[in-house]
Amino acid sequence: MSQTHFGFSTVDESEKATKVRGVFDSVASKYDLMNDLMSAGLHRAWKAYTVQVANLKPGERVLDIAGGTGDLSRAFARKVGESGVVVHTDINEAMLRQGRDRLLDEGLILPTSLADAEKLPFKSESFDLVSVAFGLRNMTHKDLALAEMCRVLKPGGRLLVLEFSRIAEPLRKPYDWYSFNILPKLGSLFAGDAESYKYLAESIRMHPDQATLKAMMKTAGFGHVDVHNLSAGIVALHAGIKC
Ligand SMILES: C[S@@+](CC[C@H](N)C(=O)[O-])C[C@H]1O[C@@H](n2cnc3c(N)ncnc32)[C@H](O)[C@@H]1O
């Protein structure tokens, strides 16, 4: 049995998805509050930047993978308008329900689908844009997921991967201190779950850095990949074109 990482622990590949599901089942109801608290609201700016780079036109077809509580799906839906389509997907039912309920409360009815990024239930060449925000890090076979994202894109289609990345060196120590001391405490206080936020801090350190992810996207079939560092590399937006 092949092994992989779950945060800093080594686990059988077959166990990782179940463990990740446990994390998101546990945090789903407090997910939006925790995002605002942990990032001091910065995740909103990172997502707003992603929507700008997406540069969507009315009528385009978008797939939001690991869409969770639906921040990107909602913003994309406003850009593509009634003639376009945004499919809001996630592997986790609790997260997808939170997102769907939030979108409905805001008057948006989007197609919603329980979908594993590693085995997407969509036809080849059927989307203009695919997004995955803070989701790739949690996937067991990132190479398979990226290849699937490429498969469902039309030729010339764009993939946007918004994810935690490698922070600039002078900021590493304070960022590590914050991640390993404050995040689990915030998780314990506001979500009753320190372990999931310890996993968050560890999984960020195990995720491929900017250059490695760019190379992985090229291998998956994206002929051109731009990397945008945000907040000194706390997060990076990788924008790939299928060509
Ligand atoms: C940190 S949340 C991100 C939610 C949302 N995109 C956002 O930016 O707020 C990560 C999401 O990735 C989802 N996820 C993890 N593994 C996945 C997979 N293999 N396929 C699809 N979604 C997955 C989780 O269920 C979770 O909802």
Side-chain angles (χ1 to χ4, degrees), residues 187-210:
S188 166
L189 274 175
F190 293 96
D193 178 355
E195 276 304 305
S196 292
Y197 292 90
K198 183 168 163 270
Y199 162 73
L200 168 65
E202 293 181 359
S203 66
I204 291 171
R205 274 71 192 175
M206 300 306 288
H207 188 65
D209 64 12
Q210 286 88 336

Side-chain angles (χ1 to χ4, degrees), residues 20 24 31-32 35 43 47 64-72 89-92 95 115-118 132-140:
V20 169
F24 290 102
Y31 180 81
D32 291 324
N35 260 0
H43 76 103
K47 287 169 181 163
D64 186 16
I65 293 178
T69 55
D71 282 347
L72 282 185
T89 71
D90 200 286
I91 199 173
N92 184 295
M95 291 292 283
D116 181 353
E118 297 181 20
V132 55
F134 305 108
L136 188 65
R137 183 173 34 89
N138 301 295
M139 294 170 192
T140 308

Side-chain angles (χ1 to χ4, degrees), residues 26-46:
S26 163
V27 305
S29 64
K30 295 287 189 299
Y31 180 81
D32 291 324
L33 169 71
M34 285 301 294
N35 260 0
D36 277 332
L37 283 173
M38 288 183 307
S39 72
L42 267 178
H43 76 103
R44 293 169 184 259
W46 299 328

Side-chain angles (χ1 to χ4, degrees), residues 22-227:
V23 167
F24 290 102
D25 280 346
S26 163
V27 305
S29 64
K30 295 287 189 299
Y31 180 81
D32 291 324
L33 169 71
M34 285 301 294
N35 260 0
D36 277 332
L37 283 173
M38 288 183 307
S39 72
L42 267 178
H43 76 103
R44 293 169 184 259
W46 299 328
K47 287 169 181 163
Y49 183 75
T50 303
V51 175
Q52 263 195 354
V53 172
N55 192 24
L56 284 164
K57 304 282 183 298
E60 288 198 303
R61 292 179 52 83
V62 180
L63 174 63
D64 186 16
I65 293 178
T69 55
D71 282 347
L72 282 185
S73 288
R74 179 184 45 191
F76 289 156
R78 292 193 174 129
K79 298 284 179 192
V80 300
E82 296 207 342
S83 58
V85 177
V86 177
V87 186
H88 169 229
T89 71
D90 200 286
I91 199 173
N92 184 295
E93 205 177 318
M95 291 292 283
L96 203 60
R97 277 182 196 282
Q98 289 285 329
R100 187 198 52 187
D101 291 351
R102 239 184 90 198
L103 293 166
L104 283 175
D105 287 347
E106 294 173 21
L108 277 173
I109 303 175
L110 304 185
T112 295
S113 167
L114 206 59
D116 181 353
E118 297 181 20
K119 227 182 314 164
L120 289 172
F122 301 103
K123 280 196 206 143
S124 300
E125 304 192 354
S126 50
F127 293 97
D128 299 290
L129 184 127
V130 171
S131 63
V132 55
F134 305 108
L136 188 65
R137 183 173 34 89
N138 301 295
M139 294 170 192
T140 308
H141 304 102
K142 297 174 183 52
D143 50 350
L144 278 186
L146 290 170
E148 276 291 89
M149 294 174 203
C150 191
R151 178 183 67 76
V152 299
L153 276 170
K154 297 175 186 172
R158 306 89 89 191
L159 170 65
L160 295 179
V161 183
L162 181 66
E163 189 51 272
F164 291 105
S165 201
R166 206 61 82 244
I167 194 168
E169 186 55 32
L171 298 174
R172 193 176 53 79
K173 276 199 173 152
Y175 181 58
D176 282 351
W177 182 84
Y178 171 78
S179 305
F180 291 107
N181 293 286
I182 305 299
L183 283 188
K185 287 204 176 73
L186 287 175
S188 166
L189 274 175
F190 293 96
D193 178 355
E195 276 304 305
S196 292
Y197 292 90
K198 183 168 163 270
Y199 162 73
L200 168 65
E202 293 181 359
S203 66
I204 291 171
R205 274 71 192 175
M206 300 306 288
H207 188 65
D209 64 12
Q210 286 88 336
T212 309
L213 179 55
K214 178 174 177 170
M216 288 168 70
M217 286 174 67
K218 289 206 153 192
T219 304
F222 293 92
H224 182 85
V225 180
D226 280 329
V227 183

